[in-house]
Structures are given as structure tokens and as C-alpha cells.
Amino acid sequence: MLAQKIVFLCAVRVGFRVPHTSVLRVGVFAALTLLTLPAATRARTSSGALAPPANGAGAYATHHYRNLFAESGHSNRAISKKINAAYAQLFHGDPQTQSVFFHTGRNANGPLAYLTDWANHDVRTEGMSYGMMISVQLNKKKEFNALWNWAKTYMYIADPNHPSYGYFSWSCKTDGTPNEETPAPDGEEYFVMSLYFAAARWGNGAGIYDYKSQADALLTTMRHRAVITGPTKFGPRTVGNEVDEQYKMIRFVPGIPRNDFTDPSYHLPAFYELWSRWGPAPDREFWAEAATASRMFFVATTNPTTGLAPNYANFDGTPHPTRFPKSAIFADDAWRTASNWSVDWSWWQKAPQEQVLSDRIQSFFTSQGIATYGDGFKLDGTQLDATHSTGLVATNAVATLAATNPRAKDFVAALWDAPIPSGQKRYYDGMLYLLSLLHCSGRFRIYTPH
């Protein structure tokens, strides 16, 4: 049986196609279960300590980041102008039609600012953490600190008896009143990574601006937070940790009464590799294993023909339907999944199957019309929504970082030609657009602690 698992994984690594979907899922699920066995995932030194994880052959090891726009003939000056224009509009543009970033005064820790989902009139940890990541990548320390201050002031739950103690309310009104008092782990993930980058780029300050200490504490909470049951403003809740220890994967939510499942777009192996080096020492092996689990999970959860992933999935990769109509299809959340595996390839080059996946999903969208494809599909490729969204255009361009087919340049061109999102949908489309500009220009970088 072990030999069969190894043969299957080798086939996936070199890009052989497993024709039957059930065989694909069973094979990868069997491989994922190997991670639950009590075996070391990294070599140990003569003293018994874990050896440093392998650095791969990507940007972490080489310090070279592909600039897809330059490869397409654009000058560095033109690239900088495009990125700066997007930042200026989305962070400091017209407040009614362009900006999603707003200053809201100050408190004892300094200026406050939030980043809002304009269409839904709320502030989300997703957007706040994206805003912080964009700010640290563009060296905008004032904006970074103002966003973090707002998140810690209004979203962070500091009461040790509260079910969500140590986490952030995933959605608040723009006045800071919570819409829900439970977390969404993608927000915590981006908070942690942006804080580590801030510590490396700017150094640590005091209090909430001791970036590394804040990141360490939150990362520890994400894995080890004990189960707490108690009241919230929205009724009783039971909340635990944000990862599944058996499968070594991020959960969709850490609410205990819910059926346990994941969100493929929450899987960030490129980040987990860094946490396995920089995070709290007792958890480093776990995050190295989580990176491996997510890389295999990407194969399990994507359709073997279209490359599309569902919004929600079980830990074996199968779609997880809920009362939410878009839960088991390729829609808004799932747009990010290809970007995640492609950035992982760009930074680490440890999983050749990610190249296969990028070629596959770009082949599908080419077949749908590069300038006209919709943004919602069944996993078999049946279109459900004809809207051609800039956010999906953006993440499909990032997939080029792992793609090998010459068609990939068409997706980069589509992002270059896309206008900066404005109006009602400027929040999600805008954040994915700006993050993707940074990835495709080679300016979304790893900032390593000194």
C-alpha cells in the first residue's frame, strides 16, 4: 500500500494525469493521511534537534523574483507608475467611488484607519490584513500601523473568558461595532505574515507595534487555543483552534459545533514555510508539515480537467456543500486558490504539480474566452455567472508564476490592461488587483528577519 502511495505521488509530481476523479481523490487523500502518522518530516542533527527545512529552488533561496510585466516588455518606470496609481486610488482616492481606506482619528496608540468592503458596509479581517500586507510591501508604515491599531482596538477580543479570546471578530461595522464575534482564519493568517514582514523591514516597536511578538502570539493562538464555550452578543459560541491537527490544515472557521472543513483559498504553503523558520520554535515542524499537506491538497481539491477548486472543501479535497449557495462551486473565495499555489511555486519550487495546476486552469479559462470568461462555475466548467470580474483576472495572472505554457502571457496582459477597480465592487476586486500587481511585478517579497 505504501508503495502505491509513493507511485501515485511521483506521478503527480511529474504531471502525469490520473484520469478518474475518484482515483485522484483517493490517492491524494491516502497521501495526506501519511502526514498524520508519527514520523519525522525533517532530518535531525546528531544532537536530535530538527535540521533546518530545505530551502527549495525558488525566490527564498535565489532572491530572484520573476517580473512578469518586464518579461512582457514593460519598463520598470511604467510598472511603478501602474502600481502607484492603484495604491493612490484604492487607499487615497475619491471616498465615494475609489478609496476603500479611511482614517478615523486616533487613540493612545496613534492614528486609526480601516479598510472597508464598500458594497457590504463593513470592515473585515480579510481586508484589514490585505491592507497591512500591501502597506508593508510598499513601505507604507503609517498606513500599516493605523490599520493594525484599528484592528487591535475594535476587532481583537482580549477577554480570556470570551469564546474567541485571542482572535479577531471577522466583521465589524465601520464604527467598530462587531457584526459577529468569531474569527475567519484567512484574516489571522495574513495578519501574522504581514507582522513578520513588518518586523523584518522596519524593526520592532513597543506595545502593539512589537510586530514579532504580536505575530508569535497570534500564531501560537491559531494552533493551540483551547476550546472555550461562552456567550457573545450574538448568542452562545464554542470556539477552538484554527487548524486541524490530524490533517495539518487550516479550518474554514474554528467554531466547534460546525462540521469541520476547510477553504482551499485559505491554504498558504508559501507562508507556512516561513513560519516553519521564524515562528515559535515548538510549532515549526507543524508548519513545515502543513506546507506539504496544502501542496497535496491543491491536487486533491481541484477538478482534474478544469483546475477549478470549490469555495469550501473537506480535508480530503471533496467539495463541502452548505446552506451557502456558492459553497461547493468555484466562486469568489476560490479565485485566490491558483494564486496561492503559484506564489508557493515562485517562492519555493518544491511542488512541480503546481505547474501542472496552473497550466490546467489557464487552459480552461482560455477555452472560455480570455476577455469574456465568467467568474462562477461548477467544478466541471459549467458557467454559472457571466460577470467578468477584475479580481479573477488578477489571480489568473498570478497563476503565470507557475505556468509553463506560452498562453500564460495572455493572462499577464489581461491584468496589465484591466482598469483599477472602482465603484461598488472596488473592495475585493481592488485588493486582489493590487496584490496581484505586486506578485506579477516581483515586488511582493519576503522580508527576512536579521
Side-chain angles (χ1 to χ4, degrees), residues 209-238:
Y209 305 119
D210 185 348
Y211 306 123
K212 185 181 187 304
S213 293
Q214 294 282 306
D216 285 345
L218 183 53
L219 193 56
T220 298
T221 297
M222 287 167 61
R223 185 182 178 201
H224 296 291
R225 228 304 303 275
V227 175
I228 301 174
T229 299
T232 74
K233 294 179 180 178
F234 308 94
R237 299 284 190 272
T238 300

Side-chain angles (χ1 to χ4, degrees), residues 330-378:
F330 176 88
D332 312 52
D333 266 24
W335 300 351
R336 305 175 293 192
T337 308
S339 179
N340 291 354
W341 76 57
S342 300
V343 171
D344 182 54
W345 174 255
S346 176
W347 287 7
W348 302 100
Q349 293 193 16
K350 289 188 174 186
Q353 64 266 30
E354 292 168 337
Q355 294 182 292
V356 177
L357 295 177
S358 278
D359 284 340
R360 186 173 295 157
I361 197 169
Q362 287 190 338
S363 175
F364 169 73
F365 281 111
T366 297
S367 75
Q368 300 298 301
I370 191 71
T372 58
Y373 58 75
D375 65 12
F377 294 85
K378 293 182 180 179

Side-chain angles (χ1 to χ4, degrees), residues 200-431:
R201 185 160 201 184
W202 300 321
N204 293 300
I208 67 169
Y209 305 119
D210 185 348
Y211 306 123
K212 185 181 187 304
S213 293
Q214 294 282 306
D216 285 345
L218 183 53
L219 193 56
T220 298
T221 297
M222 287 167 61
R223 185 182 178 201
H224 296 291
R225 228 304 303 275
V227 175
I228 301 174
T229 299
T232 74
K233 294 179 180 178
F234 308 94
R237 299 284 190 272
T238 300
V239 178
N241 64 350
E242 290 190 336
V243 298
D244 182 277
E245 289 288 329
Q246 180 182 0
Y247 295 106
K248 297 174 175 60
M249 293 186 195
I250 197 77
R251 289 178 161 135
F252 174 62
V253 291
I256 299 302
R258 292 173 177 264
N259 292 327
D260 209 5
F261 61 98
T262 187
D263 181 322
S265 75
Y266 287 11
H267 286 245
L268 296 164
F271 291 0
Y272 305 158
E273 286 276 0
L274 297 176
W275 300 348
S276 75
R277 292 159 172 77
W278 306 345
D283 295 333
R284 291 180 180 179
E285 184 173 13
F286 173 86
W287 292 114
E289 293 171 339
T292 299
S294 287
R295 289 166 182 148
M296 290 190 287
F297 175 79
F298 287 142
V299 179
T301 200
T302 50
N303 182 279
T305 300
T306 65
L308 300 176
N311 272 353
Y312 305 159
N314 298 307
F315 295 119
D316 65 357
T318 54
H320 183 88
T322 70
R323 290 178 295 177
F324 175 52
K326 295 183 178 181
S327 58
I329 68 169
F330 176 88
D332 312 52
D333 266 24
W335 300 351
R336 305 175 293 192
T337 308
S339 179
N340 291 354
W341 76 57
S342 300
V343 171
D344 182 54
W345 174 255
S346 176
W347 287 7
W348 302 100
Q349 293 193 16
K350 289 188 174 186
Q353 64 266 30
E354 292 168 337
Q355 294 182 292
V356 177
L357 295 177
S358 278
D359 284 340
R360 186 173 295 157
I361 197 169
Q362 287 190 338
S363 175
F364 169 73
F365 281 111
T366 297
S367 75
Q368 300 298 301
I370 191 71
T372 58
Y373 58 75
D375 65 12
F377 294 85
K378 293 182 180 179
L379 301 191
D380 66 4
T382 303
Q383 184 169 289
L384 301 173
D385 191 328
T387 306
H388 189 64
S389 294
T390 305
L392 180 56
V393 171
T395 55
N396 279 344
V398 179
T400 299
L401 289 171
T404 65
N405 192 287
R407 76 169 74 87
K409 68 180 184 300
D410 297 334
F411 291 88
V412 177
L415 173 58
W416 182 266
D417 293 338
I420 304 168
S422 60
Q424 284 292 103
K425 295 182 64 176
R426 66 186 185 267
Y427 157 69
Y428 193 60
D429 278 352
M431 292 298 96

